[in-house]
Amino acid sequence: RKEVEQDPGPFNVPEGATVAFNCTYSNSASQSFFWYRQDCRKEPKLLMSVYSSGNEDGRFTAQLNRASQYISLLIRDSKLSDSATYLCVVNPSEGQGGKLIFGQGTELSVKP
Amino acid sequence: DAGVIQSPRHEVTEMGQEVTLRCKPISGHDYLFWYRQTMMRGLELLIYFNNNVPIDDSGMPEDRFSAKMPNASFSTLKIQPSEPRDSAVYFCASSLEGRSLARAFFGQGTRLTVV
């Protein structure tokens, strides 16, 4: 089983749609969680951290369910510029410091 | 800040040749990571350093791969001898441990093609 697993893509949605991505992680001791965004042929960049109580940043909402070891990202009112690959990222902790494990990524394509 | 700087941006080499990828992390960051990205396997962590010391190299595929960090501002990833299956984008990233732990900043990557 992979340490971090994501929904297979691609997701093709019209502008203005709401889209949700899911992610599960295998290490129950994991402490930190993130969503990164990667544009085509570019490097990954941090989109947002994921906090236990859930958090929102504009049109983006992240949720964490520790009991189910599940992370989600919701994008409302999607824009053409949201087209990218979204990567679920976990810091497995347990003395592993800054180690980050990336999911395979889910590709999003927003169409006019 | 210039961000994480990697060189070269593109490398095409013949099978069997030695390849050296270079990385300059963001000044003051104490973690440095080497990742490899392919379509099939996504982003894989190869090795990471903390304060120039290798902490976990369990992701290094085989003995042909080696990484060094001689000082806080420079790291190399070497492949010797290179093989076509090493073709991938290699990313270097750095981060600073703290309350916002693990916000990793990535370089633009080195696109390696082994023919």
Side-chain angles (χ1 to χ4, degrees), chain A residues 78-103:
Chain A
S78 53
K79 312 291 184 191
L80 296 176
S81 57
D82 294 334
S83 297
T85 296
Y86 290 82
L87 300 158
C88 177
V89 186
V90 174
N91 179 333
S93 190
E94 292 288 3
Q96 297 185 67
K99 181 175 181 177
L100 295 179
I101 305 298
F102 283 74

Side-chain angles (χ1 to χ4, degrees), chain A residues 46-98:
Chain A
L46 178 68
L47 177 66
M48 59 194 301
S49 302
V50 186
Y51 302 119
S52 297
S53 54
N55 50 297
E56 195 172 298
D57 183 1
R59 298 181 293 108
F60 298 82
T61 301
Q63 297 278 353
L64 168 64
N65 183 323
R66 286 188 185 273
S68 302
Q69 295 177 211
Y70 170 93
I71 307 160
S72 66
L73 176 68
L74 185 76
I75 305 175
R76 292 182 300 278
D77 188 24
S78 53
K79 312 291 184 191
L80 296 176
S81 57
D82 294 334
S83 297
T85 296
Y86 290 82
L87 300 158
C88 177
V89 186
V90 174
N91 179 333
S93 190
E94 292 288 3
Q96 297 185 67

Side-chain angles (χ1 to χ4, degrees), chain A residues 2 32 34 36 38 41-46 87 91 95-104, chain B residues 31 33 35 37 39-43 45 48 56 58 91 97 101-104 106-108 111:
Chain A
K2 290 184 179 179
S32 305
F34 309 88
Y36 274 66
Q38 185 173 24
R41 301 181 76 84
K42 298 286 189 179
E43 72 275 21
K45 293 183 179 179
L46 178 68
L87 300 158
N91 179 333
Q96 297 185 67
K99 181 175 181 177
L100 295 179
I101 305 298
F102 283 74
Q104 190 84 353
Chain B
Y31 280 92
F33 308 85
Y35 286 88
Q37 187 172 38
M39 287 291 291
M40 291 297 295
R41 300 174 68 91
L43 261 170
L45 178 63
Y48 78 99
D56 183 350
S58 59
F91 286 105
E97 186 163 7
L101 178 70
R103 173 172 180 157
F106 282 74
Q108 292 182 297
R111 187 171 297 273

